[in-house]
């Protein structure tokens, strides 16, 4: 079993550590959502973040993705301290988030969702127009690189299945040169077959060198996909394990506190 002493205070980031969050605190009025949480993520791996509702997972993810600014603590990306005032700043640093609601616009086509707020234009000055051809081609390539049986990029999102929508959201996040893609319960509302397809997309993403942070309540999925697991409880990261050196039963025990880190 791995030494879990680093769960409270991660070791100094080395070349294999792409992101480290140290002693992160965040309060909302009298509610202390994070009480000094610390995690690390290794480059090119899938790191799982697990814990009961209210453990602090969502708040930590929002701090990493620029939705919330921590009250205290440090976030280091590629060895440099970073501060994200907004999600756009996190994205500029290469951190994309696939939220549980996917943030897709139902009435727009797949290619339009890919480039929403990042449209490619051509021309000069006030005479610039949207380069639809380039955007469609780029979206088709990015989606095709990740997803098998990807939907045509001209299809409207409202016509897609749940698995196709997830694939679109993940491919969009990966397509912007991301260093890290954060995924919040990516298969929570999907059936068995669609879950398998989305998991294949996630594995393809990792194989392409992108680091993934996976938030999931599905321990079987965590064991299938992740390389490393962090356990949160009471606003703290209380334990960490290499996935090959743990089990679903041990993770449950760590979450509930039945087993000490």
């Amino acid at each position: 079993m791995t030494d879990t002493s680093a769960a409270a205070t991660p070791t100094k980031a080395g070349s294999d550590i792409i992101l480290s969050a140290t002693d992160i605190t965040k309060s909302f009025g009298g509610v202390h959502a994070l009480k000094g949480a610390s995690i690390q993520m290794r480059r090119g791996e899938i790191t799982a973040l697990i814990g009961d509702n209210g453990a602090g997972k969502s708040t930590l993810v929002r701090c990493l993705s620029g939705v919330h600014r921590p009250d205290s603590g440090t976030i280091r990306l590629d060895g440099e301290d970073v501060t994200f005032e907004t999600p756009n700043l996190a994205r500029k640093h290469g951190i994309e988030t696939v939220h549980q609601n996917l943030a897709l616009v139902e009435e727009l086509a797949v290619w339009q969702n890919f480039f929403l707020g990042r449209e490619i234009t051509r021309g000069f000055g006030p005479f610039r127009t949207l380069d639809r051809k380039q955007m469609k081609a780029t979206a088709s390539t990015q989606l095709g690189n990740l997803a098998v049986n990807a939907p045509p990029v001209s299809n409207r999102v409202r016509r897609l299945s749940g698995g196709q929508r997830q694939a679109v959201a993940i491919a969009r996040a990966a397509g912007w040169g991301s260093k890290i893609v954060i995924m919040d319960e990516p298969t929570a509302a999907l059936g068995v077959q669609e879950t398998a397809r989305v998991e294949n997309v996630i594995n393809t993403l990792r194989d392409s060198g992108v680091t993934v942070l996976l938030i999931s309540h599905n321990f079987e999925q965590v064991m299938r996909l992740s390389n490393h697991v962090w356990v949160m409880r009471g606003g703290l990261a209380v334990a960490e394990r290499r996935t090959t050196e743990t089990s679903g039963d041990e993770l449950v025990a760590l979450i509930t506190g039945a087993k000490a880190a």
Side-chain angles (χ1 to χ4, degrees):
M1 195 61 63
T2 56
D3 178 4
T4 60
S5 60
T9 307
T11 55
K12 184 178 180 180
S15 60
D16 63 328
I17 303 298
I18 188 170
L19 182 144
S20 63
T22 307
D23 296 330
I24 303 297
T25 67
K26 184 64 181 179
S27 296
F28 303 94
V31 178
H32 303 293
L34 295 175
K35 303 174 183 177
S38 301
I39 69 168
Q40 290 179 337
M41 296 170 57
R42 299 187 187 184
R43 196 178 308 276
E45 290 192 347
I46 297 176
T47 299
L49 186 65
I50 63 174
D52 276 339
N53 292 333
K57 304 185 304 298
S58 294
T59 303
L60 180 58
V61 164
R62 288 172 184 145
C63 289
L64 298 179
S65 60
V67 176
H68 297 322
R69 184 171 181 178
D71 295 332
S72 63
T74 58
I75 299 173
R76 292 179 66 83
L77 180 65
D78 275 334
E80 295 184 0
D81 288 358
V82 291
T83 301
F84 304 136
E85 300 283 354
T86 66
N88 280 338
L89 281 177
R91 284 192 284 267
K92 287 179 180 179
H93 280 81
I95 299 177
E96 293 277 349
T97 304
V98 180
H99 297 284
Q100 202 165 352
N101 65 6
L102 301 184
L104 298 174
V105 180
E106 295 272 318
E107 294 303 317
L108 294 184
V110 169
W111 70 268
Q112 290 172 310
N113 273 278
F114 258 79
F115 286 93
L116 194 61
R118 293 165 164 169
E119 291 81 359
I120 298 174
T121 60
R122 60 183 177 181
F124 301 94
F127 305 105
R128 300 193 69 83
T129 59
L130 293 177
D131 192 341
R132 290 176 172 82
K133 183 177 179 180
Q134 180 61 48
M135 287 189 284
K136 288 178 181 178
T138 301
S140 182
T141 298
Q142 291 175 357
L143 190 56
N145 286 342
L146 278 180
V148 178
N149 299 322
V153 296
S154 59
N155 282 9
R156 294 188 186 278
V157 166
R158 62 180 170 82
R159 296 179 179 176
L160 305 185
S161 68
Q164 288 175 321
R165 293 178 188 216
Q166 284 285 5
V168 168
I170 294 169
R172 179 178 64 179
W176 291 104
S178 304
K179 298 177 181 179
I180 297 171
V181 174
I182 300 172
M183 298 187 191
D184 188 359
E185 298 286 352
T187 62
L190 303 182
V192 175
Q193 291 185 342
E194 289 200 320
T195 292
R197 293 192 185 101
V198 171
E199 288 183 359
N200 285 336
V201 173
I202 295 171
N203 280 324
T204 301
L205 193 61
R206 171 180 55 189
D207 293 344
S208 70
V210 176
T211 302
V212 176
L213 179 61
L214 172 68
I215 297 87
S216 178
H217 283 97
N218 185 332
F219 292 159
E220 291 183 0
Q221 181 177 75
V222 168
M223 297 300 296
R224 279 195 305 271
L225 295 181
S226 70
N227 304 102
H228 202 90
V229 185
W230 287 89
V231 180
M232 292 198 69
R233 188 174 68 245
L236 293 168
V238 296
E240 63 167 320
R241 296 288 191 271
R242 295 300 290 175
T243 309
T244 55
E245 299 173 353
T246 189
S247 66
D249 288 342
E250 184 186 30
L251 294 179
V252 171
L254 288 167
I255 286 174
T256 62
K259 178 171 183 174

